[in-house]
Amino acid sequence: MGEIVFIGLGLNDEKGISLRGLEQVKSADSVFIELYTSPMPNFSVKRFEKISGKPLHFVSRKELEEENGEALLETARKGKVALLVPGDPLIATTHIALRLQAEKLRIKTSIVHGASVLSAVMGVSGLHSYKFGKNVTIPFSDGILSETPYNVIEQNKKLGLHTLCLLDIRTEEKRYLSIHESMCTLLKIEEKRKKKTVTMNTLAIGIARAGSENPIVKANSVRKLLKYDFGEPPFSIIFPGELHFMEAEALIFLAGAPKSVRKYVK
Amino acid sequence: MGEIVFIGLGLNDEKGISLRGLEQVKSADSVFIELYTSPMPNFSVKRFEKISGKPLHFVSRKELEEENGEALLETARKGKVALLVPGDPLIATTHIALRLQAEKLRIKTSIVHGASVLSAVMGVSGLHSYKFGKNVTIPFSDGILSETPYNVIEQNKKLGLHTLCLLDIRTEEKRYLSIHESMCTLLKIEEKRKKKTVTMNTLAIGIARAGSENPIVKANSVRKLLKYDFGEPPFSIIFPGELHFMEAEALIFLAGAPKSVRKYVK
């Protein structure tokens, strides 16, 4: 009977995988990899093939989403397939769909977890995990202005909660939504609403390259962050709600926030 | 100048660490480990010492929290210290406090992320990450009935969101709050409130040993889950809000939920 092991690559590069993940890759009959659901700009296929001793077969968005992973499932009927994915596997809907498909075909599935940006941003920012409300992805605007991210930030703020904003990516086109562009989009919606959810003076945290050797975590007003150069992707933004005393200290000492953030402590 | 690298051990056992984490351990002058902030019942110090070639120095809750990690900070003034922690580092408040302390003493700090139960439970349950509201820890009741977890579940449900409940642990006493006990506590509060947040018929997902080789993910009514034997810890519970079509399918095919969960699809 066949088998698919979904293996998380963790963050940044080929060293983000766990020892268990690498062990599973080594014992697999075929190893597939997708690198489009989340950006891993520093991942080297060549170096990973050297570490694991296995050739990697790329799977594209088209193969997984339009063709429902047929080629991969066909291989998995005959042996053990390892599917490498960025971050922690099965956070992306497309992996859940593939897993469901496999189980329906009586192909055994299992998961080897990896570090995810979802918990990494909590760690690097020093904010408490239980104070985050629902997260949201800010999409490329491309003419259409989605108000969902703004509404999510607003709803979380009302409850005193932090909002993690993931920024859209189009890995195939190598396009990454920037912190600057995302903030401009939110400010445009603010203008229409005449509210006080995301203004020039709102406190925000811009995060670049969490999990790499040179992450940037910068807490300041939207006005200041708009001018800040965050360098290379991937990016995310946190809009904090009410702060715990220690969260304010963390923002000041670890993210360069002005001492005035202490006024948000509740 | 000194340095502390906070390294996530990921989930379950000594194979949860990333290749980058292991590399950092090997290059450290001293390696400390704490295993009390989160349970890793299958972690073997002996096996880890063999893999890494480094002796591990245990740090207790007392040393980190009452003595503010003084001994560790003193060692870190003179060289590179690796601090191994369960899951993803700096999710626990005590690590943030230590990191702040180090930075104030001009000891350089950095993070190597690991898999966290926060994203792992999303993956194993097949629920979508952006539909989770704030998470909450259910404490041991020990005479005092905290209503916070109930209130968090209620608030999230009103917004159509899922709630991840982490269950309290006292690693030093080897005590783990069970799924059964947690649900009984919530039902007791429900009785006082006469509401419909957590009843015998409420859909819940019990999760045991996420990240291990034998995880259990069981979706059913509270009534059914109360009778289910989840085996060894660690445990967590998810109370789902509204379901996406594919979330319902995942619960049915991956977590044994009755087909009637499709009625929660919105």
Side-chain angles (χ1 to χ4, degrees):
Chain A
M1 211 174 84
E3 184 182 353
I4 302 177
V5 189
F6 292 83
I7 302 174
L9 289 171
L11 302 169
N12 192 53
D13 63 15
E14 62 283 352
K15 291 180 188 168
I17 194 171
S18 67
L19 303 188
R20 182 178 306 113
L22 185 60
E23 197 177 84
Q24 288 288 325
V25 168
K26 287 181 177 172
S27 71
D29 299 309
S30 311
V31 185
F32 290 81
I33 184 168
E34 71 84 356
L35 288 171
Y36 74 85
T37 54
S38 197
M40 291 190 83
N42 297 321
F43 187 92
S44 156
V45 169
K46 214 170 160 183
R47 286 196 300 259
F48 190 88
E49 287 180 332
K50 207 176 156 193
I51 293 169
S52 65
K54 294 274 179 175
L56 301 186
H57 307 286
F58 258 91
V59 272
S60 63
R61 183 190 297 268
K62 185 166 169 279
E63 282 169 282
L64 276 189
E65 296 182 13
E66 289 170 36
E67 298 160 14
N68 302 312
E70 265 175 41
L72 191 150
L73 288 167
E74 201 44 48
T75 313
R77 280 177 187 274
K78 291 170 252 158
K80 179 172 170 177
V81 162
L83 174 58
L84 298 166
V85 305
D88 196 11
L90 297 145
I91 296 298
T93 317
T94 175
H95 305 147
I96 305 174
L98 182 66
R99 189 175 178 210
L100 269 169
Q101 201 60 30
E103 290 280 339
K104 286 176 185 175
L105 294 168
R106 299 184 185 276
I107 294 167
K108 201 182 132 196
T109 63
S110 59
I111 309 174
V112 179
H113 295 281
S116 165
V117 69
L118 297 177
S119 62
V121 293
M122 296 173 180
V124 296
S125 67
L127 298 183
H128 296 167
S129 81
Y130 60 89
K131 291 182 66 189
F132 279 79
K134 74 178 259 171
N135 66 52
V136 71
T137 298
I138 303 183
F140 285 106
S141 55
D142 289 348
I144 310 150
L145 206 57
S146 163
E147 304 202 356
T148 306
Y150 184 96
N151 294 339
V152 171
I153 298 165
E154 191 180 28
Q155 189 186 72
N156 283 334
K157 277 209 175 175
K158 270 188 201 158
L159 301 168
L161 301 175
H162 313 322
T163 309
L164 165 62
C165 301
L166 301 164
L167 308 195
D168 206 1
I169 47 156
R170 300 224 178 109
T171 30
E172 284 137 331
E173 302 165 29
K174 294 211 163 107
R175 278 182 71 194
Y176 301 91
L177 188 64
S178 71
I179 290 174
H180 184 97
E181 205 179 332
S182 309
M183 287 182 164
C184 289
T185 303
L186 293 168
L187 287 168
K188 251 186 234 168
I189 300 170
E190 173 88 14
E191 232 172 80
K192 284 168 54 180
R193 305 275 196 99
K194 313 271 178 221
K195 289 201 177 173
K196 296 280 172 213
T197 300
V198 183
T199 70
M200 280 292 188
N201 298 320
T202 300
L203 175 66
I205 305 158
I207 299 169
R209 301 176 302 287
S212 76
E213 275 155 35
N214 56 352
I216 286 183
V217 185
K218 199 83 198 155
N220 217 316
S221 63
V222 167
R223 180 181 288 108
K224 286 274 169 65
L225 295 184
L226 277 172
K227 289 180 201 146
Y228 194 83
D229 180 6
F230 284 92
E232 296 297 307
F235 306 116
S236 34
I237 306 174
I238 298 171
F239 286 94
E242 291 165 8
L243 296 179
H244 179 275
F245 165 75
M246 203 191 288
E247 292 182 310
E249 295 309 293
L251 292 183
I252 293 166
F253 287 96
L254 307 172
K259 291 192 174 160
S260 58
V261 298
R262 290 185 180 133
K263 73 182 173 211
Y264 297 106
V265 174
K266 285 260 162 106
Chain B
M1 210 173 85
E3 184 180 355
I4 301 179
V5 190
F6 292 84
I7 302 174
L9 289 170
L11 301 169
N12 192 55
D13 64 14
E14 62 282 353
K15 291 181 188 167
I17 195 171
S18 68
L19 304 187
R20 183 178 305 114
L22 185 61
E23 195 177 87
Q24 289 288 323
V25 167
K26 287 181 176 170
S27 72
D29 298 310
S30 311
V31 185
F32 290 80
I33 184 167
E34 71 84 356
L35 288 172
Y36 74 84
T37 54
S38 196
M40 290 189 85
N42 298 320
F43 187 91
S44 156
V45 169
K46 215 168 158 185
R47 286 195 301 259
F48 191 87
E49 287 181 333
K50 206 175 156 194
I51 293 170
S52 65
K54 293 274 180 176
L56 301 186
H57 306 285
F58 258 91
V59 272
S60 63
R61 183 191 294 270
K62 186 167 168 275
E63 283 170 282
L64 277 189
E65 297 181 12
E66 290 170 34
E67 297 160 14
N68 301 314
E70 267 175 38
L72 192 150
L73 289 167
E74 201 44 47
T75 313
R77 278 177 188 274
K78 292 171 251 159
K80 178 173 170 176
V81 163
L83 174 59
L84 298 166
V85 306
D88 196 11
L90 297 146
I91 296 298
T93 318
T94 176
H95 306 147
I96 305 172
L98 181 66
R99 189 176 180 209
L100 269 169
Q101 201 59 29
E103 290 281 340
K104 286 176 185 175
L105 294 169
R106 297 183 187 278
I107 294 167
K108 200 182 132 196
T109 63
S110 59
I111 308 175
V112 179
H113 295 282
S116 165
V117 68
L118 296 177
S119 63
V121 293
M122 296 172 180
V124 295
S125 68
L127 298 183
H128 296 167
S129 81
Y130 60 88
K131 292 183 65 190
F132 279 79
K134 76 179 257 169
N135 67 52
V136 71
T137 298
I138 303 183
F140 284 106
S141 54
D142 290 347
I144 309 149
L145 206 60
S146 163
E147 303 203 357
T148 306
Y150 184 96
N151 295 339
V152 170
I153 297 165
E154 191 180 27
Q155 190 186 70
N156 283 334
K157 276 208 177 176
K158 269 187 202 158
L159 302 167
L161 302 176
H162 312 324
T163 308
L164 165 62
C165 302
L166 301 164
L167 307 196
D168 206 0
I169 46 156
R170 299 223 178 111
T171 31
E172 284 136 333
E173 304 164 27
K174 294 208 164 112
R175 277 181 73 193
Y176 300 92
L177 188 65
S178 70
I179 290 175
H180 185 95
E181 204 179 332
S182 309
M183 286 183 166
C184 287
T185 304
L186 294 168
L187 288 169
K188 252 186 233 168
I189 299 168
E190 173 87 14
E191 234 172 76
K192 284 168 57 181
R193 305 277 193 100
K194 314 270 179 224
K195 289 201 177 172
K196 297 280 174 213
T197 300
V198 183
T199 71
M200 280 292 188
N201 297 321
T202 300
L203 174 66
I205 304 158
I207 299 168
R209 302 177 300 287
S212 76
E213 274 156 36
N214 56 351
I216 285 182
V217 185
K218 199 82 197 156
N220 216 315
S221 63
V222 167
R223 180 180 288 109
K224 286 274 167 66
L225 295 185
L226 278 172
K227 290 180 200 146
Y228 195 82
D229 179 7
F230 283 93
E232 297 296 309
F235 306 116
S236 36
I237 306 174
I238 298 171
F239 286 95
E242 291 165 8
L243 296 178
H244 180 274
F245 166 75
M246 205 192 288
E247 292 182 310
E249 296 309 292
L251 292 184
I252 294 166
F253 288 96
L254 306 173
K259 291 195 173 156
S260 58
V261 299
R262 289 187 180 129
K263 74 183 171 210
Y264 298 106
V265 173
K266 285 260 164 105

